[in-house]
Amino acid sequence: MKSVKKALLATSLAGALVVSAGYGTYSWFTSSTSATGTIDTGNLSVNNGETITTPLFTGAKFAPSQVVYGDLITLENTGDLKQNLKLTYTGSVDKASADPYKIYYMAFKYKAKPDMDEINDWRMEWEKGFFNGNHNPQMSMAKSAVAALPKGVEVVTGEATVEEVQAMSALAKSSSEGDKTFKFGKDEFFTLEEDQYITMAFDVKLDQSAGNEYQGAKYSGNLMVQAKQTDQGAKFENKK
C-alpha cells in the first residue's frame, strides 16, 4: 500500500513539473517607446572676452581749448545670445581734478560690417560742430548726417558731463577729486543682437578754464565694458 502511495505521489509531482514547464514556454506580445532631449547652453561673449588693444586716444603737448580725437574701437557680440552692455568710462588726472577735461563720445551700431574708411566718413559728418553743442542724442539730425548713414545703422552721441549724462538717464558720479566716472548702458542702443557691432570713439577737450596747475599733467581714460543676457529682465541696474 505504501508503495502505491509513493508511486501516485511521484506521478503527481511529475505532472506538476510538466504543467509548470508548459507555462514557461508561453510568450506575450509587447511594445515600448522612449524619448530623449538635449539642451545646449548659449554663449555670452563680447569681443571674445579679449582686451581691446587699440588705445582710446593718445596725445602730447595738450593745452586749454585743444581737442584730442580718439581712435575708433569696436564692440562685437561674439556669442550667440542677445546681450545688454554697460559701459563705464573713468577719466583721471595725476595732479588735479578731472573736471576741466570734457569727454565727448559717438557710437555707431550696425549689423553688416563696413570698412573703417566708411565709418570714418560717418564720423566726419557727425563731428561737425561737435564741440559747439551739436552732441545731444535727442537732437533732430541734420539731413547730411542722416544721408551719410546706410539703412540699419544707428548712432548715438553725447557729452559725458554730469548734467548731460543724467539727462540721458545714465549714471554719472565723481569717484574722487581726480577721477570722473560715467556709466552708460540703460539705453536700448547698447543692446547687441548676435553678430551685431558698435564702433565708437571718445574725444577729449581741455576746457579754457584749466589753470597753470594743469601744466605737465597727465590725463588717463579707461573704458570697461560688461555684457549681460537680456532674458528675464536681466539688465544692469543704474544705482547712484
Side-chain angles (χ1 to χ4, degrees):
M1 192 66 176
K2 289 183 178 180
S3 299
V4 174
K5 289 182 178 179
K6 289 181 179 180
L8 290 173
L9 180 59
T11 302
S12 299
L13 290 173
L17 291 174
V18 170
V19 171
S20 177
Y23 276 116
T25 60
Y26 283 100
S27 62
W28 306 93
F29 292 148
T30 61
S31 177
S32 65
T33 187
S34 63
T36 61
T38 60
I39 298 177
D40 294 329
T41 58
N43 180 34
L44 186 73
S45 172
V46 57
N47 288 38
N48 292 313
E50 299 175 353
T51 300
I52 299 172
T53 57
T54 302
L56 291 178
F57 37 72
T58 54
K61 299 180 180 180
F62 202 28
S65 79
Q66 293 184 351
V67 177
V68 171
Y69 293 93
D71 294 324
L72 291 169
I73 62 169
T74 297
L75 308 175
E76 177 185 357
N77 184 346
T78 50
D80 53 19
L81 296 174
K82 184 178 179 180
Q83 58 186 233
N84 287 318
L85 300 181
K86 180 171 75 172
L87 281 63
T88 304
Y89 176 88
T90 301
S92 60
V93 180
D94 60 351
K95 57 188 299 185
S97 168
D99 286 346
Y101 291 83
K102 306 303 180 183
I103 313 301
Y104 297 82
Y105 69 92
M106 66 175 61
F108 301 98
K109 184 166 73 172
Y110 49 87
K111 186 87 172 178
K113 195 171 186 179
D115 59 39
M116 294 305 292
D117 288 338
E118 186 174 5
I119 296 177
N120 275 310
D121 289 341
W122 303 345
R123 177 178 184 173
M124 289 177 63
E125 290 292 337
W126 279 88
E127 274 185 336
K128 291 178 179 178
F130 204 49
F131 292 92
N132 295 317
N134 187 22
H135 50 72
N136 188 333
Q138 303 300 326
M139 70 182 178
S140 58
M141 297 179 290
K143 291 183 178 179
S144 60
V146 175
L149 294 177
K151 184 178 180 180
V153 177
E154 301 175 54
V155 62
V156 63
T157 66
E159 178 184 357
T161 64
V162 173
E163 294 80 8
E164 291 199 34
V165 173
Q166 287 178 340
M168 291 186 292
S169 298
L171 173 67
K173 67 177 183 179
S174 298
S175 56
S176 68
E177 181 182 1
D179 296 353
K180 285 286 184 183
T181 298
F182 310 98
K183 296 185 179 181
F184 314 92
K186 192 173 182 179
D187 195 296
E188 289 301 318
F189 179 88
F190 292 100
T191 296
L192 286 182
E193 304 281 353
E194 183 180 357
D195 294 326
Q196 202 169 34
Y197 307 81
I198 290 177
T199 293
M200 63 189 309
F202 289 84
D203 298 340
V204 183
K205 178 180 180 180
L206 182 56
D207 193 74
Q208 294 90 328
S209 63
N212 285 332
E213 67 272 23
Y214 288 92
Q215 292 195 44
K218 180 184 291 293
Y219 177 86
S220 300
N222 179 72
L223 178 68
M224 174 64 71
V225 181
Q226 296 171 281
K228 195 172 187 178
Q229 70 185 75
T230 62
D231 302 84
Q232 301 298 323
K235 293 187 177 182
F236 291 101
E237 294 183 8
N238 284 333
K239 297 181 178 179
K240 294 184 178 182

